[in-house]
Amino acid sequence: MAVLAKRERRLLWVAAVPMAVLALSCVYPVFFALNNALKTNKGYILDRFGLVTAPTLDNFVTAWQRARLGEYFVNSVITTAGAVLLLLAVSSLAGFALAMLRFPFRRFLFLVILASLMIPVQVVLVPFYRTIIALDLVNTRIGLIISYTAFFLPFSVYMMTAFYSRLPRELVEAARMDGASILQIWWNVMLPMGKPALITLGILNTLYCWNDVLISLLVLQKERTVMVGIAALRGEYTTNVPLLTAGIVLAAAPIVIIYVFFQRQIVNGIAVGAVKG
Amino acid sequence: MQAKLSALLLAGTILAAAPAKAQEITVWDWKSGDPAAASYYEKVKGDFEAAHPGVTVNYVMQPLDQYYTLLGTALSSHAGPDLFLMNGGAQAKARIPALLRLDDKVADLRKTVIGWPEFTGADGGVYAVPLSIQGFVVYYDKKLYRDAGLDPDKPPRTWADLARVCAAIKAKGAVPCFSMGNKEGYGAEFWFSTMAANEWTAGEQQDFAAGRLKWSSPQVKAILQSWVDAGKAGWFQDGPNSTTKFMDEYEGFMRGEDANTIGLISDVAHWKQFDDFLGADDGVFRMPSPTLAADKTEGDPMMPVAGGIGYGVNKASVHADLAVELAKALAAPAAMQVFFTDTGAIASNTGVDTSKVDSPAAKAILAWLKTKGVPTAHANATAKELEEWHRQSQLLLNGEATVDAAAARLDAVQADARK
Amino acid sequence: MGSKAERRIGLLFVLPAIMLVGLFRLFPLAWGFVLSFTDSNGFGRSSFVGFDNYVAIAHDPVFRDSIENTLILIATLPVWVMLPLLLAILIHQGVPGGRIFRAVYFFPAVLSTVIIGSIFNVVLRFDGSLNAFLKAVGLVPVDWLGNGATALASLIAVQLWATFGMSLLIFMAGLSTVSTELIEAARLDGARPLQIWIHVIVPALRPIIEFVAVVTTIGVLTSMFGLIYVLTAGGPGTATTLPEFLIWLEQGKMNQPGYAAAISMVLFVILGGLAYVQIRIMSRNANL
């Protein structure tokens, strides 16, 4: 960043104040979750806001066992990782083609993908489920991977298309001049150029898949995923909030750890694609 | 190719209906993961598998917020469970087309088990085996009664009593008279049935259940009016429309922040839970009403009682007979004994021994169950009417609708739903 | 015009996406469309009822209210796009603490709705912490979630808070590829920060802004169910009933898949129309 004007500096300091307040509000849930996960249910009911007085780790143990997190983690990791990789591959291919290549029905196919983004999930549940049954994919991890890919694909393709369409088409033409095949262009030019978008998509899709409850409930009925295990910790009408928050802390921990731990790499990755003007 | 595809389809359907082994009974509910009910479910599974070699019972617990969506999806995809739990009343009745009629199969249970009407179809057949009995009573905090100068051992018996109690508690100014959670409209639902219990004759209850008693009739409008009046008189705590019934309302009561609350006798928000917080100060009475039906007695209010939850058998199940057996096993006295002891839910099976319970509140409720039960009016309304009553009750409390306007709107919904 | 290879391979590259989308999204959509003309209760027999469901919707005051609420929601859409964009630009321009902010702003997006719901339930209810604060500073408490005048606004605020981190992340990714030379050149020409934003950064981000606008619109109208369920249950009255919540109600609770499907089709058309308008506006601006 170049030397900034003094007034601009001052402006940024002024903006930092409300931004810091917003940041505090974003940290509060983490405090809320940890603080309450350490309370007993009775302790929480009697004092919802106060700082935990007699912290107990019982909720974590109970949540781990009752939500069967040990077993379910494996399912979540496999299905999330599989779906995210598939999503990135399929969407970068499609996004590249839709944004950069010239072929028949290009606009129409883009509109089809865009339209599929607007379908409310509730209404496609029954036919979607019948399709899964007909393909014999119920209770299989591959079934869930395919389902996730199908559900989050429109968003991913659209994002990759939007991202690639900002890049100059000369990139493709120059590479073609050099004799590169289109597949090579995708692999050698488009994937590296698309790194910021791909990392962002990777993060968002990981979150969507990891946090999903509804699709997983339908497809994996015998072996569950972590979030379904957590969802089952909610009572019929009342919820044991400390137990639930303990479960959520456990379930969200891998995501938060990955995000915080790899923040540097993620930030660098997002910054790397900078186009020279 | 065609044959192969349909074979695949068929295989898929069968696989989903009875995953893995042929002799596996799949049961859907939203309870089996609850630790309080764990030993009950384990016992039934253990006993049933021992009695039926080669059969495996597979409980699948679903989250309640998506339960009926998932159930509907599975049933319409011909991949539903063999046996599934339902709430009695509107929810069970809406699913009768998917349920096996059980009349001749449960004949032996009819005498000992109660709560059938909530699982009975328009054709008069029964479609599920009731597990628990649900009812509404008022729990009160004896300490707060004492603080307000009231006799904690003389809870209200008439509407005038209740008005005096609320006036005294209001005058004391420390806590509201009633804890009221109406965010989902449940507060108004409970109010409706406790009022109808004493304001309606048995005939009027039947008329309402059949859709003949309109919401704009004087009998129903009186209940709507009582709801508005209680709100205006300041009986409820502030912000009932942003208070959830099952979390906020009852937790407030357990913290000792409200003098009375309309609670349940089974599942949650019942004597077992309140005893845990209030101890000996957990009192209970039956809700009186401002007017009295001809067949009711002043000073001796009745309470709404109905079948709570029950298991129905999927008509499409390939193991329907085994599923019926399992449903009966789930409602059997020995199993229900465990259910009652662990969860405090009042079992629909009257063979359950309740003599060992030492909670005074539970003893009172168990005694009333024998003679003071009347139908739960709202359980006999259609799902559409109930949903609209939730909405209108909030508007009534906020002063955004009049009783006449609310009744007119509910009439329209009733007519539409009963078409 | 692309070469022959490009035409063939272009199609080939899109094929996997189209197949998945077709099988799991479009085919179910067509099914839903057919369903919306039946009186299906989900199981057992169902028959075609023509436009009955659509006629019923047109006369359903709850549906009408849900559309009104949708219009209010749509009116707030610029905020949903501009707030994260503004924050992303500020961070990109090196606001003090920016590194911490960008990490922390993403936290709400990681959390599940259940946790967010539990927290805001205790914050916003009548005896919640927000009103305790208002009373402490001498103001009148408000029934944020229980009052028809404030319930929808409260819900929108919570959802905005819960999701702005995602849009921020996407904008950050887009900003990282805005040529720094371009910004420097403008700065050397004496352009003010605001001018640089409007004339350099925003045009360069146009496809990303369009993307966020369209995705946010769809997200706002199709993924607020969790929060509605936990915070207001659609009430008071119909104040926070959105079409999406109504679809869940009719399908799950009322067991009326045909009716729910008809509402879904209307929602689908509204979303399509909105996306079309947004894309048109963005494209026109680009040509200016």
Side-chain angles (χ1 to χ4, degrees), chain B residues 12-71:
Chain B
T13 315
I14 292 169
L15 265 167
K21 287 180 204 74
Q23 292 288 301
E24 183 166 301
I25 306 285
T26 303
V27 186
W28 278 22
D29 60 59
W30 60 87
K31 274 194 173 300
S32 55
D34 184 350
S39 35
Y40 159 71
Y41 279 105
E42 278 316 303
K43 179 180 167 52
V44 175
K45 179 178 160 77
D47 291 354
F48 192 80
E49 286 173 358
H52 300 82
V55 176
T56 320
V57 175
N58 178 29
Y59 299 119
V60 181
M61 176 167 162
Q62 309 280 18
L64 186 71
D65 55 342
Q66 296 297 346
Y67 184 76
Y68 288 111
T69 303
L70 290 170
L71 186 63

Side-chain angles (χ1 to χ4, degrees), chain B residues 26-192:
Chain B
T26 303
V27 186
W28 278 22
D29 60 59
W30 60 87
K31 274 194 173 300
S32 55
D34 184 350
S39 35
Y40 159 71
Y41 279 105
E42 278 316 303
K43 179 180 167 52
V44 175
K45 179 178 160 77
D47 291 354
F48 192 80
E49 286 173 358
H52 300 82
V55 176
T56 320
V57 175
N58 178 29
Y59 299 119
V60 181
M61 176 167 162
Q62 309 280 18
L64 186 71
D65 55 342
Q66 296 297 346
Y67 184 76
Y68 288 111
T69 303
L70 290 170
L71 186 63
T73 304
L75 288 175
S76 52
S77 306
H78 311 296
D82 300 293
L83 197 62
F84 50 89
L85 192 63
M86 287 167 300
N87 295 93
Q91 289 302 347
K93 285 172 188 178
R95 283 163 187 84
I96 281 177
L99 290 167
L100 189 71
R101 188 173 163 145
L102 299 174
D103 292 43
D104 50 331
K105 300 181 177 67
V106 296
D108 49 331
L109 285 182
R110 293 301 285 269
K111 283 188 211 77
T112 49
V113 173
I114 53 175
W116 299 96
E118 280 65 37
F119 301 99
T120 302
D123 59 355
V126 298
Y127 288 89
V129 183
L131 273 198
S132 66
I133 288 296
Q134 194 54 281
F136 304 130
V137 287
V138 184
Y139 295 92
Y140 69 103
D141 189 334
K142 291 186 179 176
K143 177 184 174 291
L144 297 177
Y145 270 51
R146 278 193 297 274
D147 289 353
L150 295 159
D151 183 349
D153 296 317
K154 284 221 174 78
R157 299 176 73 89
T158 65
W159 191 253
D161 287 348
L162 184 62
R164 261 195 303 279
V165 162
C166 282
I169 287 165
K170 218 182 148 188
K172 168 83 179 165
V175 293
C177 188
F178 272 89
S179 174
M180 180 51 69
N182 199 41
K183 187 193 266 188
E184 298 95 341
Y186 293 142
E189 206 171 82
F190 289 19
W191 183 272
F192 188 84

Side-chain angles (χ1 to χ4, degrees), chain A residues 42 45-46 48 66 125-126 129-130 133-134 136 214 217-218 221-222 224 232 234 236-239 241, chain B residues 9 15 20 24 30-31 33 35 60-66 70 76-77 79 246-247 251 255 276-277:
Chain A
K42 199 164 177 175
I45 291 172
L46 292 174
R48 290 164 297 168
R66 266 187 58 200
L125 277 186
V126 173
Y129 190 44
R130 285 198 182 178
I133 292 171
D136 204 4
L214 194 57
L217 271 172
L218 277 176
Q221 297 193 350
K222 303 188 82 179
R224 299 299 208 179
R234 296 167 71 182
E236 176 173 0
Y237 294 115
T238 53
T239 298
V241 174
Chain B
L9 271 163
L15 265 167
E24 183 166 301
W30 60 87
K31 274 194 173 300
V60 181
M61 176 167 162
Q62 309 280 18
L64 186 71
D65 55 342
Q66 296 297 346
L70 290 170
S76 52
S77 306
F246 290 98
M247 293 284 285
E251 287 179 2
R255 276 194 296 273
D276 188 30
F277 279 81

Side-chain angles (χ1 to χ4, degrees), chain A residues 78-277:
Chain A
I78 291 176
T79 53
T80 300
V84 170
L85 287 178
L86 200 57
L87 275 164
L88 293 184
V90 174
S91 62
S92 64
L93 272 177
F96 163 47
L98 291 169
M100 292 265 185
L101 303 179
R102 299 283 173 268
F103 58 93
F105 308 117
R106 187 174 64 100
R107 231 186 130 60
F108 170 74
L109 291 176
F110 176 68
L111 285 178
V112 165
I113 298 225
L114 195 56
S116 65
L117 192 59
M118 297 162 199
I119 303 169
V121 174
Q122 303 279 359
V123 79
V124 299
L125 277 186
V126 173
F128 159 75
Y129 190 44
R130 285 198 182 178
T131 312
I132 288 286
I133 292 171
L135 297 173
D136 204 4
L137 291 172
V138 177
N139 287 329
T140 62
R141 287 177 186 146
I142 190 78
L144 191 55
I145 289 175
I146 292 173
S147 304
Y148 281 158
T149 308
F151 266 84
F152 304 127
L153 192 62
F155 173 85
S156 304
V157 173
Y158 183 23
M159 181 162 157
M160 288 318 294
T161 310
F163 195 87
Y164 281 143
S165 69
R166 294 174 52 249
L167 304 179
R169 198 178 129 78
E170 288 79 47
L171 278 172
V172 180
E173 267 142 26
R176 293 286 277 163
M177 296 294 185
D178 295 344
S181 76
I182 292 177
L183 197 65
Q184 281 170 328
I185 297 176
W186 174 68
W187 183 257
N188 293 327
V189 182
M190 285 323 204
L191 282 186
M193 294 286 301
K195 212 169 161 190
L198 288 170
I199 290 177
T200 306
L201 262 188
I203 296 171
L204 295 182
N205 280 324
T206 304
L207 274 179
Y208 292 152
C209 297
W210 189 269
N211 285 339
D212 162 72
V213 172
L214 194 57
I215 303 170
S216 166
L217 271 172
L218 277 176
V219 179
L220 278 193
Q221 297 193 350
K222 303 188 82 179
E223 287 292 311
R224 299 299 208 179
T225 52
V226 167
M227 278 302 159
V228 173
I230 298 298
L233 290 178
R234 296 167 71 182
E236 176 173 0
Y237 294 115
T238 53
T239 298
N240 181 332
V241 174
L243 180 65
L244 183 70
T245 46
I248 288 173
V249 168
L250 289 174
I255 301 281
V256 174
I257 289 170
I258 289 173
Y259 184 73
V260 171
F261 195 73
F262 290 104
Q263 240 252 314
R264 215 193 178 84
Q265 282 88 332
I266 291 171
V267 171
N268 290 343
I270 287 179
V272 82
V275 188
K276 298 278 174 263

Side-chain angles (χ1 to χ4, degrees), chain B residues 226-272:
Chain B
S226 71
W227 170 252
V228 175
D229 292 346
K232 280 208 182 116
W235 284 13
F236 307 147
Q237 100 282 355
D238 287 324
N241 286 341
S242 63
T243 305
T244 65
K245 187 156 190 80
F246 290 98
M247 293 284 285
D248 304 337
E249 174 182 333
Y250 294 131
E251 287 179 2
F253 179 71
M254 292 188 279
R255 276 194 296 273
E257 290 171 0
D258 314 88
N260 302 287
T261 188
I262 303 178
L264 301 174
I265 64 174
S266 284
D267 296 321
V268 289
H270 60 341
W271 52 274
K272 199 174 170 84

